Amino acid sequence: MSPFCLPLPGLCFLLSLSGAVAHKTKGACHQCPRNASCVNATHCTCNHGYVSESRMIYFTYPLEKCEDINECKPPVSVYCGVNAECQNIEGSFYCRCNAGYKLLSGKAQFNHSNENTCQKTTPSETTSSMKEMQQVVEAIESLLTNKTVWGMEERRNIRATFTYILQKVESLVLETALKTPDQELQKVQNRTVAVETRVVTDNCSKGVTFKLNAQMNSMDINCSDIIQGNTQGPSAAAFVSYSSLGNIINATFFEEVNEKDHVYLSSQIVSAAIGPKRNTSLSQPVILSFQHVKIKPSIKKVFCVYWKGTKEGGHWSTEGCFLKQANKTHTICSSTHLSSFAVLVAFHRQEEDPALTVITYVGLSISLLCLLLAALTFLLCKAIQNTSSSLHLQLSLCLFLAHLLFLTAINRTEIKVLCAIIAGALHYLYLASFLWMLLEGLHLFLTARNLTVVNHSSVNRFMKRLMFPVGYGVSAVIVAISAASRPHLYGTPDHCWLHLDQKFIWAFLGPVCAIICVNFVFFLLVLWILKRKLSSLNSEVSTIQNIKMLTLKATAQVFILGCTWCLGFLQMGPAARVMAYLFTIMNSLQGFFIFLVYCLLSQQVRKWFGEIIKSKSEPETHTLSSRLGPDSKPSEHDSEV
């Protein structure tokens, strides 16, 4: 049994009966032409609404044709009554009210003049359809912009909800358009949704197509596909474009792509439907034109896809969708069926340079060792424990944890929730590191400025109150806001880091750029202050030594205060590869520079190291002398050693 028989049992009975008769008379009756039936297994006759080309009721001529009778023209000329007109269709006809009139029953058509109740519509009735359409669009916008609802939904529920929404919107839009068939073209648009409908009430000329536009997209559909042949009364086509739906149903719901490629949604999502009969198959493909909302230079392949509903909810599929043309700004697709469509673009993941990878891992390993030694030094060396060493210690700890997490977990992308947590932790630790670099730059500037200030205690009190709220608090606020607004952008298919979509990476780059600029200003101010002090002729020797040491520290801290990150912004053009190597080397050795400047170049730290080494060697000497005894003399062999 045909699946179309289920809702129409009477029609099914007629179809099965006619099929049985045709099977019984097959071979006995002459082969009847299209729109004709066999009579008594000997003759053919045209079906109701058709007439033979020879005007004979019964015929046996095998090349005879049955033509449609136009009941709306002479000699028949069906009369439909006042303010109404006859509309011919294939094999039949119907009556409809003229434009500006409607039936009291609200129906779109009738069959006889005695059913004519056509009355003139009022202005309020004419505009009611537009108001209803506007209400539908506003309801859709309210639903799509509710981030709380979508954020709480599970992935499977989102698929099913999305499928239901699309089908419901299509039905409502078509139903609203068909209520006023005299308004052939209707358009409604707001911030997130755009709708255009086209109502067709006449027979279509061969090859006629209609173009429907919604926001930046358009659809060309054949007129005959809108009418669908056997449909009596007006038909309509609807074209809907959603500007924000792609944030909910994105490229992650597309499974037909190589895992090595990254896929993203390059267009708005659109829906196409015809009614009142919801037939999705077409005699001719529809042509869909999309304007890109995202453009990537390294495009590998463009996919024309539609939303396919399944038991699991649905997913993007390419079945029946074909790419006709694509450039940097537009993509043109064709489809053999109607549904919801979009354009997905895949591009190659950038291959990592093995040499840069080795440099990164070796450099970060050295930095980890140096940062650990530096932290132990700041904790154990009492001679240098002050506000400055506290800043050094916190910077060393943050960088140590960030580098350690980077080396061990940056590629743990298998579990998305865990990857998002790792990305959030890295975001926090690296931001905290840069904030401690900012405090380092501020402290260096205040130290240089204090050479001309008598009272230094107020500066130390200020730094002690400021450093922990800024160093750890500001980064926590930034990460909390970022995670609350776009939690799904923590973690990428390649790395557990911030996603590049929606410019989310600026949640890290923005503060970093600001800190680098401020630190660079501090660096210039320190050099200017030191230059003025060195030009003074009556400076004391101790002051000059302090100035020289500060000058050396200020120059060395260019590497510590994050200024080498500027090399990352210079990775473009012919020098991009060179800058990439310089950037990787300088920043992966940041821990080494901290240990070098704050520990190895410090006279107090070197003295402390010397005392530790001396204290270890003294017990060994005491043990050797006790073995020999107070009166013993070393042998010749011992003296040589």
Side-chain angles (χ1 to χ4, degrees), residues 119-140:
Q119 293 189 356
K120 193 172 183 63
T121 57
T122 63
S124 60
E125 290 174 328
T126 305
T127 58
S128 64
S129 177
M130 293 296 293
K131 290 182 179 179
E132 288 185 32
M133 189 85 75
Q134 184 70 40
Q135 291 173 356
V136 171
V137 170
E138 289 175 357
I140 301 167

Side-chain angles (χ1 to χ4, degrees), residues 80 83-87 94-98 103 108-110 116 118 181 200-202 234:
C80 292
N83 300 321
E85 62 180 357
C86 175
Q87 181 65 49
Y94 65 90
C95 296
R96 66 177 182 183
C97 297
N98 293 336
L103 293 170
Q109 63 188 42
F110 56 96
N116 185 333
C118 296
V200 180
T201 56
D202 300 322

